[in-house]
Amino acid sequence: RDMQAQVARCKSIATNILMAAGETRAEAPTETTLHALFDELAHEWEQARNPPRFDYRNQSGPDPRIVTDAGLRQMVFNVLDNALEASPDWVALGVRCEDDAVVVVADAGPGFEPGILQRLGTPYNSSKGRPGGGLGLFLSVNVARTLGGRLQAENRPQGGAVVTVTLPLAAIAIEDPDDDGQE
């Protein structure tokens, strides 16, 4: 089981590296809605990782039709996995949508070291001290940038960290073919 998990993680890292380079592992984009995507992601992640406490809140009013692919999904999983590693007892995922889709992941771990925050988005920027450390966050930053969005991280005043991913809806929304702007 551990070996299968590591193989799956390697595949997802390879997918992210290829996506950051503008390539894919032939995993086709799929159509869904914003709510369905994040409800499914939250459920899949919780089932796969089984954290003691996982708080998921979808506070998104609008539920636009969107297109998603493995890169977007893996980006969220990477951020959640990092939060769980830092905070094994509690992770939170929140989603809201106004002009942009905003995904917020919070944890109760030690927070980011100042040097890590200053170099956010650079490869191998990690305090984990192991090979490959920092690649997940690097790839997540690049997926967000590729979609015209951004990934920001900060420490919470009460301890722990918050990672916020902001994606413009225009980058992922599917235009309604019946809405041609004419009345």
Side-chain angles (χ1 to χ4, degrees), residues 136-155:
L137 197 53
F138 164 71
L139 295 170
S140 295
V141 167
N142 281 328
V143 170
R145 284 182 186 154
T146 299
L147 293 171
R150 66 187 181 281
L151 185 147
Q152 299 171 289
E154 62 186 355
N155 292 325

Side-chain angles (χ1 to χ4, degrees), residues 162-173:
V162 174
V163 174
T164 304
V165 179
T166 306
L167 300 172
L169 279 178
I172 58 174

Side-chain angles (χ1 to χ4, degrees), residues 5 8 15 18-19 27 54 62 83-84 90 103 109 122 134 152 180 182:
T15 296
L18 290 170
M19 292 192 74
E27 297 186 33
F54 177 57
L84 183 61
W90 176 76
V103 181
T122 60
Q152 299 171 289
D180 60 6
Q182 299 177 4

Side-chain angles (χ1 to χ4, degrees), residues 52-170:
R53 183 167 166 216
F54 177 57
D55 295 333
Y56 168 63
R57 292 180 55 184
N58 188 336
Q59 299 172 308
S60 177
D63 190 21
R65 290 183 18 233
I66 63 169
V67 65
T68 184
D69 63 14
L72 179 58
R73 299 172 74 84
Q74 190 60 47
M75 174 182 59
V76 176
F77 266 60
N78 284 342
V79 175
L80 285 167
D81 285 346
N82 283 349
L84 183 61
E85 189 171 338
S87 173
D89 294 328
W90 176 76
V91 173
L93 169 64
V95 179
R96 63 183 190 274
C97 178
E98 291 107 26
D99 294 332
D100 296 325
V102 180
V103 181
V104 179
V105 175
D107 68 54
F112 288 100
E113 294 174 9
I116 301 292
L117 287 173
Q118 291 171 346
R119 295 184 316 275
L120 189 70
T122 60
Y124 307 109
N125 179 26
S126 174
S127 60
K128 296 175 185 172
R130 67 172 191 252
L135 275 181
L137 197 53
F138 164 71
L139 295 170
S140 295
V141 167
N142 281 328
V143 170
R145 284 182 186 154
T146 299
L147 293 171
R150 66 187 181 281
L151 185 147
Q152 299 171 289
E154 62 186 355
N155 292 325
R156 297 172 12 155
Q158 68 271 40
V162 174
V163 174
T164 304
V165 179
T166 306
L167 300 172
L169 279 178

Side-chain angles (χ1 to χ4, degrees), residues 12-63:
S12 69
I13 288 171
T15 296
N16 281 329
I17 290 169
L18 290 170
M19 292 192 74
E23 303 290 330
T24 64
R25 274 186 59 237
E27 297 186 33
T30 58
E31 182 179 328
T32 186
T33 66
L34 189 69
H35 290 196
L37 169 66
F38 286 102
D39 290 351
E40 182 181 309
L41 273 172
H43 178 74
E44 283 179 24
W45 186 83
E46 184 175 26
Q47 293 299 306
R49 305 309 191 267
N50 197 25
R53 183 167 166 216
F54 177 57
D55 295 333
Y56 168 63
R57 292 180 55 184
N58 188 336
Q59 299 172 308
S60 177
D63 190 21

Side-chain angles (χ1 to χ4, degrees), residues 8 148 178:
D178 296 331

